Amino acid sequence: MIELRNVSKTVTSGSESLTILHPLDLTIAKGQFAAILGPSGSGKSTLLGLIAGLDSPSAGDVVLDGTVVTRLGEDALAAFRGRTIGFVFQSFHLIPSATALENVRIPMEILGRRDARRRAEALLESVGLDKRGHHYPKQLSGGEQQRVAIARAFANEPAILLADEPTGNLDQANGERIFELLLRLNRDTGTTLVMVTHNEELARAADREVVLRDGRVVRDTVHVARDATPHPNGPTPPPMARAIG
Ligand code: ADP
Ligand code: MG
């Protein structure tokens, strides 16, 4: 579970002070898929960075699965992040000098997992790239690179997966494939998924839509629980969920 308690972010440059995120309370339940929407500059990446512990808030606490990450020291935070959080970036961020397989193995080797190689192969297979393990990022298309990045993000079975516009650098067809892959992994693994997206149509398949504007939550919509037993006359799931499910 992700819990933001009165979290805010203000930056100062010279005598100017700018509030990027106004004090915010936000709870995202375990296993939930929350889509974060909002115009450019509204604070979406800042919010994700604060949840990931890549950035620290000016005030407030971030609590992940009961751990107050804002009170952890640098080393403890890095270790916690490695175990608990997977991150997918818009621009893939693969290591260019490492093959696809090595990119997926590295986070597991950092934690000393003995099954790193076997698991890396299985992860690449789960994203449909078992034949591309020995290829370097530049030999892969954007969509393929993002699939490697997703396999890497899931390497250590993170409780939380954060994705910042993961389809932003992809064409529509590849963007939809990546989205469907994330949705499937969220369902299959029970990982909590927080995804920033500009695509309102895709976001409708999420459990929840949180809309930011000027550093404030202006809308927070929870959709009908996906896994609730459907009533014969009850609401139908959103079209995207139906198409994938
Ligand atoms: P989004 O991801 O929604 O486009 P960001 O979270 O990247 O928005 O940024 C929100 C606002 O905060 C933007 O106006 C951005 O320029 C500003 N901003 C982000 N980080 C910093 C920083 N370290 N210093 C100054 N301004 C920043
Ligand atoms: Mg951003």
Side-chain angles (χ1 to χ4, degrees):
M1 186 173 89
I2 300 169
E3 219 184 325
L4 273 60
R5 298 180 186 158
N6 209 30
V7 162
S8 64
K9 183 73 183 179
T10 299
V11 293
T12 48
S13 59
S15 57
E16 296 281 300
S17 128
L18 174 71
T19 297
I20 304 174
L21 272 185
H22 295 274
L24 173 72
D25 286 305
L26 185 70
T27 300
I28 299 173
K30 195 168 180 55
Q32 194 172 54
F33 170 17
I36 311 288
L37 296 134
S40 181
S42 55
K44 306 182 297 295
S45 294
T46 302
L47 176 65
L48 226 55
L50 290 171
I51 296 172
L54 296 168
D55 192 5
S56 51
S58 307
D61 276 316
V62 177
V63 186
L64 304 180
D65 278 343
T67 300
V68 187
V69 294
T70 27
R71 307 238 177 95
L72 294 177
E74 211 174 300
D75 292 346
L77 176 61
F80 182 84
R81 250 201 328 259
R83 271 185 280 114
T84 314
I85 296 172
F87 210 113
V88 177
F89 301 89
Q90 180 173 355
S91 48
F92 324 134
H93 283 216
L94 296 175
I95 299 170
S97 59
T99 64
L101 194 64
E102 287 164 351
N103 267 282
V104 179
R105 268 170 67 179
I106 287 167
M108 293 185 272
E109 283 170 355
I110 289 172
L111 294 194
R113 279 184 76 140
R114 296 228 173 149
D115 58 347
R117 188 187 172 85
R118 201 167 37 79
R119 185 165 157 76
E121 286 167 351
L123 282 159
L124 277 184
E125 192 179 349
S126 75
V127 299
L129 288 175
D130 42 318
K131 305 264 189 313
R132 309 301 297 272
H134 299 291
H135 290 195
Y136 289 87
K138 67 171 187 295
Q139 299 172 305
L140 301 170
S141 71
E144 288 164 346
Q145 288 185 59
Q146 194 63 302
R147 284 191 269 154
V148 174
I150 289 169
R152 177 181 63 180
F154 274 92
N156 290 325
E157 299 161 273
I160 296 167
L161 184 80
L162 306 172
D164 195 351
E165 301 195 43
T167 67
N169 279 0
L170 303 175
D171 60 43
Q172 190 181 335
N174 276 301
E176 283 174 13
R177 281 194 74 178
I178 290 298
F179 182 87
E180 288 173 22
L181 176 62
L182 287 169
L183 192 58
R184 174 167 67 78
L185 290 167
N186 159 250
R187 288 179 174 192
D188 292 353
T189 64
T191 293
T192 307
L193 172 62
V194 185
M195 184 176 89
V196 171
T197 180
H198 277 297
N199 191 321
E200 293 181 20
E201 192 189 336
L202 293 182
R204 267 181 247 131
D207 298 316
R208 181 168 174 190
E209 291 177 65
V210 178
V211 183
L212 293 181
R213 192 176 298 270
D214 297 329
R216 287 188 171 88
V217 173
V218 293
R219 190 158 68 77
D220 188 351
T221 312
V222 177
H223 297 154
V224 177
R226 280 189 319 224
D227 53 359
T229 309
H231 188 275
N233 306 316
T236 49
M240 195 69 196
R242 213 167 40 226
I244 296 160

